Amino acid sequence: MKTYDVVIVGAGGAGMAAALNASRGGDLSVAVLTKVFPTRSHTGAAQGGMNAALGYRDETDTIESHFYDTVKGSDFLADQDAVEFFVSGMPELVLELEGMGVPYSRDEQGRIAQRPFGGASHPRCCYSADKTGHVVLHALYENCVKNGVEFLDEHNLLDIAQVDGQLQGVVAIDLRRGKIETFQAKAVVIAAGGFGRVYWSRTTNATNMTGDGVAACLRAGVPIKDPEFVQFHPTGLASTGVLLSEACRGEGGYLINNEGERFMARYAPEKMELGPRDLVARSIETEIKEGRGFGQGMGSYVLMDLRHLGAERIMERLPQVRELAMAFEGVDMITDPVPIRPSNHYMMGGIDVVDFRTCATAVDGLHAAGECSCISVHGANRLGGNSVSEVVFFGKQAGIGAAETARRRDFAGTDRLKELERQWDERFRAVRAKRTGEPMFAIRDRMAEAMWNGVGIFRTEEGMAAAEAVVDECMAAYADARIDDDSQVYNQAFMNYVELGNVLSIAKTVCMGARARTESRGSHSREDYPVRDDERFLAHTLVSLSSDGAFTLGYRPVRVTKFAPEERKY
């Protein structure tokens, strides 16, 4: 058993921001467990930028405007005190990152460049070409190394140990050695990323985005908040779902149907292509459903046209997305429009954080930040440019909070840690030896198809009930699944098996939350309940898992401070 003051699970923007800030005092031992080498974490795939009301491009921009845009974009489901705290701290954070070495693009005066993003009233998105997440990740990693943070690569989270609401630590598998390990800690930050692979075959997420931290918290007694709010990015590449950044539309890209129309004039006449993501994604799908798309069935798409921007601007500001379009679609956006269709992209819901200033959960000693968490600043729909911002900002708060927790708490025993270690050792042996049962990948594919078809961009009770029934069947089949790999070291099949169990339990919470919410709000669009219902559903969904394996549903009121809910128009 290894012992640290602070253990952070995940080395993306949230995890490394947490590690950096937990280690600043020099008096605490800080370790980061990560599935992949830190700079390969999924934050590196974030292209577009970070929202901060610096007022460089538009001096009329204010923190209050960023506050309102975020709340409006959330369809008024965000907790407004948390949003105000977040947007107020973003200008300082961007300047702090600049000081750490993040090479932001520059305007004509040499200041950090800013561009417009969907749902924003001012151009406030600070960027580094179309590789913002990549450069932020590298700057954070370099500063963590300088601070002596210990990184344990290829260590995958299995479970969280707590007794009577008191954290003991975490259990992980060291894939290189094929060994179950325990980590006792005074404080733990879960920053393990989102769970887009619930929609396995149609997502912008990397294959390791399987909600390991979310599912582990669920098993440890922490509710999952707002799981039904799933963002579908409007511009995934048509054949793969690979992301083309919102920066494409921020720089002036057009969305075109098979009649040559810029069809967003029908849905958001003022904002056009820069409407919020949920609205633009639904608009694209509506065009396809009504016969104004290209192609057939799952191969249907519309076009994104950037040719009018010119080669120089595309090469300067969108070099990576151009390469992606050429690699995956065989299309050069300098000379031809690009086929696109919405793709699962981001989860507004996640681990229930009860204190936005410290990112603490209901378990003493356990904090959460990043996409795996729900604080909630995104509510029912996240604005583009608010993700890397939120990840790093609340990662920093979680690190500061975890350091305070570690100085306050003693270690809380090891009995539950040892019991979980024994259980996982036995499971690792048994699953590797198993020769009967359904192949796990067949189970995964059934789940993903059911979730896309039933709990996708447009939802009905009938479709969601059918999807939940398939998820239940898959969970039953999973109990008898086989992996067909008996190796001990680097047994990636076993990790895929663990990940499948995680996404199945999360898929169940998505179905439950979505079916119970009989309204349409933000990304949750129900054809059978098309109207937002503030009287009944101005509340966060909370899904819990009891010790006997039963899922239960509850609600918590949204915190409204300055902006009363109103109809959302763009």
Side-chain angles (χ1 to χ4, degrees):
M1 183 176 295
K2 297 182 178 179
T3 301
Y4 296 93
D5 293 310
V6 180
V7 169
I8 290 145
V9 180
M16 284 206 275
L20 178 61
N21 285 277
S23 64
R24 285 197 190 279
D27 59 327
L28 301 173
S29 55
V30 179
V32 177
L33 311 183
T34 171
K35 277 185 168 182
V36 295
F37 190 79
T39 54
R40 295 293 297 166
S41 298
H42 204 47
T43 299
Q47 298 162 352
M50 306 175 68
N51 287 335
L54 291 168
Y56 290 159
R57 176 154 170 192
D58 182 351
E59 63 184 17
T60 67
D61 193 15
T62 63
I63 286 171
E64 188 83 355
S65 293
H66 189 188
F67 182 10
Y68 175 72
D69 289 346
T70 299
V71 172
K72 180 182 178 182
S74 80
D75 218 350
F76 295 89
L77 197 77
D79 286 327
Q80 294 182 22
D81 51 357
V83 175
E84 186 168 23
F85 179 64
F86 162 56
V87 299
S88 298
M90 275 311 303
E92 180 184 348
L93 179 65
V94 166
L95 297 178
E96 181 184 347
L97 289 171
E98 180 187 33
M100 286 186 201
V102 172
Y104 288 106
S105 296
R106 299 285 159 174
D107 65 14
E108 294 79 3
Q109 286 78 46
R111 303 169 303 184
I112 294 172
Q114 296 182 286
R115 59 184 165 205
F117 252 45
S121 57
H122 302 270
R124 66 172 67 95
C125 194
C126 308
Y127 62 94
S128 180
D130 57 355
K131 303 176 182 178
T132 310
H134 176 82
V135 296
V136 167
L137 204 57
H138 279 259
L140 289 171
Y141 179 59
E142 290 162 3
N143 282 273
C144 283
V145 170
K146 182 175 72 175
N147 269 23
V149 172
E150 184 176 351
F151 287 92
L152 299 170
D153 304 344
E154 296 179 311
H155 279 66
N156 294 11
L157 176 69
L158 297 176
D159 256 322
I160 297 165
Q162 66 92 8
V163 176
D164 297 329
Q166 294 295 317
L167 175 80
Q168 293 187 352
V170 298
V171 182
I173 181 170
D174 178 352
L175 283 178
R176 280 178 289 193
R177 294 190 299 144
K179 188 177 186 303
I180 308 299
E181 291 196 340
T182 53
F183 296 83
Q184 187 184 28
K186 296 176 181 176
V188 166
V189 178
I190 301 297
F195 44 96
R197 284 288 162 173
V198 165
Y199 299 84
W200 189 270
S201 54
R202 186 81 199 162
T203 179
T204 66
N205 287 192
T207 55
N208 62 0
M209 297 285 281
T210 51
D212 305 336
V214 177
C217 282
L218 186 64
R219 292 190 296 272
V222 179
I224 304 307
K225 185 160 62 188
D226 294 339
E228 66 268 36
F229 293 107
V230 177
Q231 184 167 91
F232 295 88
H233 198 289
T235 55
L237 287 171
S239 61
T240 61
V242 168
L243 174 67
L244 288 192
S245 171
E246 189 156 318
C248 295
R249 289 175 289 126
E251 293 295 340
Y254 300 155
L255 294 176
I256 306 294
N257 63 19
N258 65 14
E259 298 174 1
E261 294 179 292
R262 283 182 68 188
F263 57 82
M264 284 307 301
R266 261 194 295 282
Y267 306 98
E270 190 175 317
K271 288 290 188 181
M272 295 291 285
E273 286 85 2
L274 288 176
R277 286 179 177 174
D278 61 321
L279 174 59
V280 180
R282 285 195 297 273
S283 303
I284 293 169
E285 288 298 302
T286 298
E287 291 294 300
I288 290 170
K289 284 170 62 177
E290 295 181 356
R292 293 186 292 275
F294 301 84
Q296 299 294 324
M298 285 297 287
S300 301
Y301 59 90
V302 297
L303 295 173
M304 183 162 63
D305 193 352
L306 296 99
R307 293 174 294 179
H308 56 284
L309 300 181
E312 182 179 352
R313 188 168 175 183
I314 289 171
M315 292 301 294
E316 176 192 349
R317 301 191 183 183
L318 302 167
Q320 181 174 249
V321 293
R322 175 176 177 252
E323 291 173 6
L324 290 170
M326 289 191 293
F328 291 100
E329 292 288 343
V331 172
D332 186 344
M333 60 176 56
I334 291 174
T335 57
D336 294 288
V338 184
I340 59 93
R341 188 173 185 178
S343 184
N344 165 262
H345 181 59
Y346 186 89
M347 301 302 188
M348 275 68 74
I351 302 160
D352 179 28
V353 168
V354 296
D355 182 350
F356 62 82
R357 294 182 183 278
T358 65
C359 297
T361 71
V363 172
D364 189 28
L366 184 64
H367 303 248
E371 189 177 346
C372 67
S373 70
C374 184
I375 287 177
S376 154
V377 295
H378 304 310
N381 174 64
R382 175 178 67 77
L383 292 187
N386 269 357
S387 60
V388 178
S389 301
E390 184 242 0
V391 159
V392 180
F393 181 83
F394 284 106
K396 176 179 178 178
Q397 299 308 128
I400 294 169
E404 293 172 352
T405 296
R407 295 186 183 107
R408 169 181 61 81
R409 288 184 84 234
D410 292 326
F411 292 108
T414 61
D415 54 333
R416 180 61 178 158
L417 271 172
K418 290 176 180 176
E419 173 60 19
L420 286 170
E421 180 182 27
R422 184 195 63 75
Q423 291 177 11
W424 278 105
D425 266 325
E426 175 55 33
R427 193 171 179 185
F428 189 34
R429 285 194 299 270
V431 171
R432 284 184 293 138
K434 201 169 187 301
R435 294 294 178 267
T436 60
E438 186 174 357
M440 62 175 173
F441 297 122
I443 300 170
R444 183 192 72 192
D445 292 346
R446 286 210 310 280
M447 172 204 70
E449 183 178 6
M451 292 298 291
W452 177 261
N453 290 334
V455 203
I457 295 172
F458 293 104
R459 300 170 175 182
T460 64
E461 169 59 24
E462 181 182 14
M464 292 187 293
E468 187 172 0
V470 172
V471 170
D472 288 341
E473 292 167 7
C474 289
M475 292 174 79
Y478 176 74
D480 191 38
R482 71 175 198 268
I483 68 171
D484 297 325
D485 186 346
D486 62 0
S487 59
Q488 179 163 347
V489 299
Y490 277 114
N491 192 325
Q492 192 61 48
F494 177 74
M495 199 57 226
N496 294 155
Y497 163 83
V498 173
E499 291 168 337
L500 175 58
N502 291 335
V503 292
L504 279 169
S505 62
I506 296 169
K508 176 70 173 178
T509 72
V510 174
C511 293
M512 287 179 64
R515 291 182 67 188
R517 187 175 285 272
T518 51
E519 66 160 356
S520 288
R521 183 187 297 270
S523 65
H524 177 60
S525 180
R526 290 192 61 156
E527 294 178 313
D528 48 357
Y529 291 95
V531 178
R532 197 180 78 192
D533 183 354
D534 289 337
E535 186 175 334
R536 295 179 61 211
F537 289 110
L538 192 64
H540 297 296
T541 303
L542 295 170
V543 184
S544 301
L545 182 65
S546 65
S547 57
D548 63 359
F551 290 83
T552 58
L553 196 66
Y555 293 94
R556 179 188 300 145
V558 171
R559 297 193 297 271
V560 177
T561 59
K562 290 189 177 180
F563 304 116
E566 60 188 36
E567 185 181 356
R568 197 173 58 142
K569 294 180 180 179
Y570 287 94

